[in-house]
Amino acid sequence: MRFTVPHRVETERLVLRRYTHADAEALGEVTTRNVDHLRRYMEWIQFEPQSIEQRRALIDTLNSQADAGEDYTLGMFLHSGEFIGGTGYHVRAHPDRLELGYWIDRAQEGRGLVTEAAVALTLVALNLAGADIVDVAHAPSNERSASIPRRLGFVRQEAVAHGCFDDGQMHDGVMWWATRDHLTQEPFAAAPRPRAWGADGTEFAWPAERADA
Ligand SMILES: CC(C)(COP(=O)(O)OP(=O)(O)OC[C@H]1O[C@@H](n2cnc3c(N)ncnc32)[C@H](O)[C@@H]1OP(=O)(O)O)[C@@H](O)C(=O)NCCC(=O)NCCS
């Protein structure tokens, strides 16, 4: 497989991990109360409402896709165990790239939690998972999404032919990207390295910092 994406990542406030069947109810509750919040930009919301059985089947599908290296979905949880959103990486045509995705419960917006997840997943993608480029794509009107890669110092590229969902239609997107060169700049340089574990619970070791970095 091309990428070695951890099954679990921990940051200061978050646990980002693969879903299990035990998450189906929380996934249902949070998704259901956020349908209006997510309707415009999340293409999958059109498949709501879903039964618990459908959500368990979805969890199986997402984990199978991750095992096959096709797409890597992670749930976003607080350390208390509360489920608050979704993140992970999409695998697109370019073999060296991982694309960050994210959504969060409206009640948790504005606390910097998605930024914290995005910092951690950028470090993981470029230092642990084997990607050379991390990108983010969003519909041109999605300013709130744009704020995340902007805050991280990603490079912005306009009107990239890349299907981005907006109000029922696919649009060319805005794409932002970063490489390992960005990791010497803030917010990455001072960011604590997230902890990350593989399928068997073995913790990933971070590459030694370059003495001249
Ligand atoms: C896009 C989305 C994930 C962004 O969520 P968010 O809450 O704005 O992002 P963050 O968690 O990083 O929070 C950033 C906000 O917290 C504030 N903040 C507070 N503490 C912070 C911290 N420690 N670090 C960074 N920002 C912090 C920032 O100033 C910013 O506030 P502002 O919105 O007033 O400018 C969310 O709006 C969403 O789920 N939208 C619907 C789904 C969607 O569009 N997904 C993206 C598809 S491409």
Side-chain angles (χ1 to χ4, degrees), residues 22-146:
D23 300 317
E25 286 195 10
L27 180 60
E29 279 165 30
V30 175
T31 305
T32 301
R33 70 165 184 263
N34 279 283
V35 164
D36 287 344
H37 168 54
L38 299 175
R39 190 187 308 283
R40 181 159 183 187
Y41 296 117
M42 306 312 283
E43 192 180 1
W44 48 263
I45 210 74
Q46 63 192 292
F47 302 114
E48 291 296 319
Q50 299 250 310
S51 67
I52 286 291
E53 291 71 31
Q54 286 173 310
R55 289 194 205 282
R56 289 196 192 111
L58 172 69
I59 287 168
D60 288 340
T61 301
L62 295 176
N63 287 333
S64 298
Q65 287 174 338
D67 287 339
E70 294 164 0
D71 222 47
Y72 299 92
T73 301
L74 300 170
M76 197 188 299
F77 301 81
L78 299 176
H79 281 282
S80 63
E82 184 184 350
F83 171 66
I84 58 163
T87 186
Y89 307 109
H90 300 297
V91 177
R92 304 295 192 198
H94 196 295
D96 297 331
R97 288 180 180 235
L98 286 172
E99 179 187 323
L100 285 178
Y102 41 71
W103 65 270
I104 195 165
D105 185 351
R106 177 174 265 160
Q108 299 287 346
E109 276 186 314
R111 299 178 57 202
L113 290 165
V114 181
T115 300
E116 185 171 315
V119 168
L121 290 185
T122 300
L123 289 167
V124 165
L126 296 173
N127 274 331
L128 300 181
D132 292 326
I133 301 174
V134 174
D135 56 39
V136 173
H138 59 79
S141 63
N142 196 349
E143 271 307 313
R144 191 136 196 167
S145 182

Side-chain angles (χ1 to χ4, degrees), residues 159-203:
V160 173
H162 187 93
C164 287
F165 187 77
D166 183 354
D167 218 7
Q169 293 187 350
M170 301 307 271
H171 296 263
D172 285 354
V174 176
M175 169 94 61
W176 302 73
W177 57 269
T179 64
R180 250 169 241 111
D181 288 347
H182 289 80
L183 303 186
T184 57
Q185 302 162 23
E186 296 306 338
F188 299 106
R193 274 25 187 169
R195 297 183 69 187
W197 293 266
D200 63 358
T202 304
E203 187 163 356

